[in-house]
Amino acid sequence: MRNVSSRRIACFALVFFGLMRVQAAEPQLTIEIKDYATMPMTGLTQGRGSNEVLLARVNAIREEPGGASRLFVADLNGPLYILDKNSKKFTPYLDFDGREGRSGLFHRFFIASGYGNGLNGFYFDPDYRRNGKFYTVHMEDPASTAAAAADNTHFPGLKLTGYTTTQPVKTPGPIQNEGVLIEWTDTNPSNSTFEGTARELLRVQLNTRSHPMGDMIFNPTARRGDADWRVLYLECGDGASGESRNVDIRPNPQRLDNLTGKILRIIPDLNEHTSASTVSDNGRYLIPNDNPFVDVPGARPEIWAYGLRNPHRLSWAIDPGNAANNRLIAGSVGLHTWETVNIIRKGGNYGYPLREGNELLKADNTTAPRPAADTIPLQIGAELTDKVVTPVYPVIQYGHVPSGGDAIGSGFVYNGKAIPVLRGKFVFSDITTGRIWYADYKDMLAADDGNPATMAPFHEVKIRWNNETYDTMFPINELTYHARGGKEVHLAGNGTVANLGRADDRFAVDANGELYIYSKSDGMIRQVVGAVMR
Ligand SMILES: [Ca+2]
Ligand SMILES: [Ca+2]
């Protein structure tokens, strides 16, 4: 009897101290968020499809350089706003939605279906304070019979003399969408209206409405005289070619003769780096001579990295001591199995659609263990070459499982000053579930080791909002969606893991590196105002 009791006590003690050990080894990070700004509603409180019922399709938030205290905010549905950081007032700056008699700029603008369609991307030129330049990416319907030219009727400050569209860069197979990159020059950045000129730089064919072109970024520590100064990194999704059963388009992310499923690197300004670049086919931008495929016959010289499905969010991790150690990070949405965070290497082949996460992706779109000889053919056109390359693998991956999610959002290595506990942490979201995780950036660097089996550990983050603590953003978004008048029972869209709709959450950073989280479902921008680890 005594033996049994002491065994029980010993057992209890083991469990108790075991739990203590687990708790001590795995402290819980909780971030505190506050409502920051309520987006003007561009969706419907009750509607059809997955896009209409998102209250505002906020998709990019960038702080104006130079300390003007203004955020520029893009809504996929068309508007580009200026948001005053003090008054929280939104001022419409440009509107891209010129469909069917609407008052915006582009009559072929497309938003009707596909989660990522509309005004997808917005970024300031690093020299914006001097030159007033910024860049946008939007989607157009090439089958539209509307006029292709921009229409400045409602934006008379836009001078269109000499404005012409470009020939689209061809993508093998049937085409549903075109992604359009435009450079804008505002001659007076100090006011809240646009006056100046625009140049279409690039137009890319996409096979379907899914996984378009969108996010872009400049290396934030590059200065005048550096090779990366004013050099634009632009992601282009695979247009859903890689999962297609149509074998004529399935290899597109692997083929170096097209721009889909790629990270691109170009110099938008024809007067920059002129001695270290060549002029693009369409004459509108320059291609740096140190891009990896400039000397490969048949390959598109714009390509910086490839073999990606939907690398829709880019960020830079900065080494303040040595800019050569800066790393470009891409979150890429997976098919049925793995969501991934990738450290982008020059010329890297990220394997898709022959790999997903660190597994083999088969022709039936299921995964299997990697082959013993882990190489894939170098492919430029329709035929394979006799060369092979070793794929580059993610540094973080999570599955489509109850503890995981459906679609990676965006993430940033926190570089701000207000919340010291977040420093050195890569904080990222899952779009549908509204889950938030962090990984230590040093673990991500360690996982970028050429070994597909090693990944950075990541840790779930809880969320404090209005004096309650939540496991995910989902209930916060759903409460707010209903509080703003949303009439649907659940949030819009599909998610296998999230089940009832999509929370639709992503992170952004301001000029000080402070974090914001924004959501399409409830059309809200929230600021991360604190964090505790205990
Ligand atoms: Ca202006
Ligand atoms: Ca690894």
Side-chain angles (χ1 to χ4, degrees), residues 243-534:
E243 67 213 64
S244 176
R245 304 301 170 108
N246 175 353
V247 295
D248 292 335
I249 70 169
R250 190 173 173 99
N252 284 351
Q254 283 294 315
R255 287 176 63 159
L256 291 174
D257 66 350
N258 73 86
L259 298 182
T260 66
K262 313 292 190 310
I263 308 284
L264 314 176
R265 180 174 181 258
I266 64 169
I267 304 162
D269 191 330
L270 291 166
N271 299 310
E272 195 70 66
H273 299 292
T274 48
S275 62
S277 63
T278 53
V279 179
S280 64
D281 282 357
N282 69 9
R284 300 287 175 98
Y285 56 93
L286 300 174
I287 291 156
N289 287 346
D290 61 343
N291 269 11
F293 302 109
V294 291
D295 295 325
V296 177
R300 294 293 313 192
E302 296 91 343
I303 298 170
W304 181 251
Y306 68 111
L308 291 151
R309 181 175 183 262
N310 189 14
H312 71 132
R313 295 294 151 159
L314 304 176
S315 65
W316 275 96
I318 297 160
D319 181 342
N322 182 359
N325 293 331
N326 290 356
R327 292 289 179 266
L328 179 63
I329 298 174
S332 187
V333 178
L335 179 54
H336 299 308
T337 315
W338 294 113
E339 299 305 306
T340 62
V341 177
N342 304 274
I343 292 181
I344 297 299
R345 298 186 188 181
K346 173 181 176 178
N349 180 347
Y350 290 77
Y352 190 76
L354 303 173
R355 301 286 183 277
E356 177 158 297
N358 63 356
E359 292 193 296
L360 180 77
L361 184 67
K362 298 191 293 182
D364 66 0
N365 287 339
T366 63
T367 58
R370 289 184 306 282
D374 189 16
T375 58
I376 52 186
L378 177 71
Q379 188 168 6
I380 294 162
E383 305 298 324
L384 302 180
T385 68
D386 55 9
K387 296 200 175 87
V388 294
V389 295
T390 303
V392 183
Y393 287 97
V395 294
I396 296 172
Q397 67 182 26
Y398 63 88
H400 294 193
V401 294
S403 62
D406 294 297
I408 188 150
S410 58
F412 294 88
V413 176
Y414 180 78
N415 202 30
K417 292 200 171 62
I419 313 174
V421 73
L422 293 181
R423 287 196 68 98
K425 290 181 169 53
F426 178 74
V427 184
F428 62 104
S429 65
D430 180 67
I431 294 173
T432 63
T433 60
R435 271 203 178 102
I436 297 171
W437 290 282
Y438 79 88
D440 284 311
Y441 177 53
K442 65 175 169 43
D443 291 339
M444 294 165 64
L445 288 174
D448 186 28
D449 56 359
N451 176 357
T454 53
M455 297 278 170
F458 54 97
H459 317 275
E460 200 149 1
V461 177
K462 290 186 191 291
I463 305 136
R464 188 92 182 142
W465 176 70
N466 286 355
N467 300 316
E468 301 275 352
T469 302
Y470 297 86
D471 289 336
T472 75
M473 288 295 296
F474 198 104
I476 299 170
N477 299 137
E478 200 163 65
L479 276 166
T480 310
Y481 167 80
H482 288 134
R484 291 193 70 188
K487 293 186 178 62
E488 304 292 334
V489 178
H490 297 294
L491 299 178
N494 302 311
T496 307
V497 179
N499 192 15
L500 300 169
R502 293 158 61 101
D504 233 319
D505 295 295
R506 291 165 188 79
F507 283 103
V509 286
D510 66 13
N512 294 322
E514 300 304 331
L515 283 169
Y516 297 75
I517 186 161
Y518 58 94
S519 36
K520 297 189 179 94
S521 54
D522 58 5
M524 292 296 294
I525 302 171
R526 297 179 172 92
Q527 189 173 15
V528 179
V529 295
V532 291
M533 180 82 88
R534 62 165 70 98

